[in-house]
Amino acid sequence: EAVHFVSASLDSEKAGAHLLLRGDVRAWQGERTLSADEVEMIREGEVLNARGHVATRVPRDAAHAATEADYVQIGADRLSYRGGAHTAAYDGGVRVRQAEGWLQAPRLVVTLAPGGPGLREVQALDGIRFEDRAPGERGVPTTATGEGDRGVYDAASRVLRVFGDKAPA
């Protein structure tokens, strides 16, 4: 599926094999969106580097999303996407928001499912904080909050494990 971009400027080298977009960059591919101050794309290795006020929004499931609750939003200072390696690394003030809560960490590493859309695993690193709300008894939500040194989300089981490597989680 094609990726569409708009920006204030575009520089191209090596017959389009290396692109640099600057100034209020916006990109979209189907239901997925990206915004940043600057985006660099390198064809070899399917590399995308975004810097400055990075924000991404992706559907939770491969099916089309209908409401804001159907999306995960991630904000950070930087994003390094490596299509060939099926990874995306967010760095600097990472904030993840979804309908039932939020997570903050200095670094987030996403491993994508090979051969198709979707997540395999997400690692929140270098100290995390989170809040999660779930339906409770009689419709009263239950809220869980916490912090730890790192967290690992397994997409198949839909479970976030929080680890206290240096201090109790």
Side-chain angles (χ1 to χ4, degrees), residues 56-135:
T56 60
R57 181 175 166 232
V58 296
R60 298 176 87 156
D61 296 314
H64 292 290
T67 69
E68 283 302 310
D70 297 326
Y71 290 92
V72 174
Q73 299 176 51
I74 303 173
D77 296 331
R78 293 172 306 285
L79 165 64
S80 298
Y81 170 76
R82 303 296 182 263
H86 306 290
T87 62
Y90 294 85
D91 287 291
V94 178
R95 300 158 312 282
V96 180
R97 293 193 53 84
Q98 54 188 21
E100 60 274 8
W102 54 266
L103 179 136
Q104 293 177 325
R107 182 165 169 77
L108 189 77
V109 178
V110 178
T111 305
L112 304 168
L119 299 174
R120 193 177 87 208
E121 180 183 85
V122 178
Q123 296 182 45
L125 305 168
D126 304 328
I128 69 166
R129 294 179 46 225
F130 69 92
E131 177 179 288
D132 187 71
R133 293 174 301 282

